[in-house]
Amino acid sequence: MNPQFFGDSYDLVKKALISWLMPFGGWAVHPMFTEDVPPADAREFARFLNADLLSPKVLTAQTDREEYFKRCRDVGNLFLDPDTGVRLEGKPSPRHILAENLVEIVRVRPKALTLVFDQSYTRAAESARSNEIKRKLTFFAKYKVHGFAYNSHATFLLLCHDSELLERAYSVLLEASGLLRKRIIRK
């Protein structure tokens, strides 16, 4: 999460998704800040999302990622907000969450939902973008992490170890939001 963009249209989508998924319980947010944020601003962001602030700590290239994401293991529903999104391979980056970190976070919380902001796609045609999203969902499925994506100008992954819980979340999200099914990508 880049603090200079607090309250932008992406944040409104984040707030809406969390709101529509509230029937599954409260949410915690790990903003994954890439620069120092005053504590009051971090709390304001969490309040805006109607979520508990998990950590205001900054993620840097030198950060011990296992330690950084440790608190994610002990919460229920979780929203992760990296600057750019999910990276399947390559070097760790403060702007991304690595897929391997995400698999671990989801699997240790088998009865909880994990929502992730994911803008890590090329600005390609819609079909190419859909293929990139499906590639990620296929990767997660190999580790028994089930998911789907909301595909729009602001793309999000919803992941869960429990496939039945994810299916219920899919149904509730469609019903509560009125989103078009074509905006949801599944493996």
Side-chain angles (χ1 to χ4, degrees):
M1 162 29 106
N2 189 325
Q4 76 180 18
F5 300 116
F6 278 174
D8 67 5
S9 63
Y10 288 169
D11 285 351
L12 293 176
V13 177
K14 295 168 190 176
K15 181 181 179 78
L17 289 168
I18 289 170
S19 174
W20 293 326
L21 293 167
M22 276 296 180
F24 297 95
W27 286 78
V29 58
H30 196 329
M32 298 180 59
F33 292 122
T34 55
E35 58 187 71
D36 286 324
V37 174
D41 289 354
R43 287 190 302 273
E44 184 69 11
F45 177 65
R47 186 202 60 75
F48 171 78
L49 295 176
N50 194 23
D52 296 326
L53 180 64
L54 194 58
S55 173
K57 292 184 180 178
V58 175
L59 178 61
T60 69
Q62 292 75 37
T63 300
D64 176 340
R65 285 178 171 260
E66 186 174 326
E67 183 64 30
Y68 185 78
F69 292 114
K70 194 176 203 174
R71 296 190 66 198
C72 295
R73 300 167 152 260
D74 301 323
V75 298
N77 299 320
L78 174 66
F79 172 52
L80 294 165
D81 196 8
D83 262 4
T84 304
V86 179
R87 180 177 273 177
L88 287 183
E89 58 235 358
K91 291 183 176 183
S93 157
R95 299 183 69 198
H96 298 85
I97 183 165
L98 297 176
E100 63 190 55
N101 296 130
L102 195 48
V103 165
E104 181 64 23
I105 289 167
V106 172
R107 291 186 71 192
V108 299
R109 302 167 25 263
K111 296 295 183 185
L113 300 169
T114 304
L115 182 66
V116 187
F117 179 67
D118 190 16
Q119 286 298 108
S120 63
Y121 304 99
T122 59
R123 297 193 187 272
E126 189 67 29
S127 62
R129 183 182 175 97
S130 293
N131 288 338
E132 287 182 65
I133 292 169
K134 286 178 184 176
R135 183 172 157 245
K136 283 185 182 177
L137 294 173
T138 298
F139 171 87
F140 290 118
K142 288 190 302 189
Y143 296 94
K144 297 192 180 349
V145 171
H146 310 282
F148 62 83
Y150 168 61
N151 183 24
S152 183
H153 74 289
T155 300
F156 293 82
L157 299 175
L158 187 64
L159 304 169
C160 187
H161 186 59
D162 182 331
S163 62
E164 290 178 20
L165 176 58
L166 186 75
E167 286 304 310
R168 289 195 320 271
Y170 172 76
S171 296
V172 166
L173 182 64
L174 287 177
E175 179 67 27
S177 68
L179 287 172
L180 301 175
R181 287 183 191 272
K182 72 178 188 175
R183 286 287 178 191
I184 305 295
I185 297 177
R186 303 179 86 170
K187 183 177 81 61

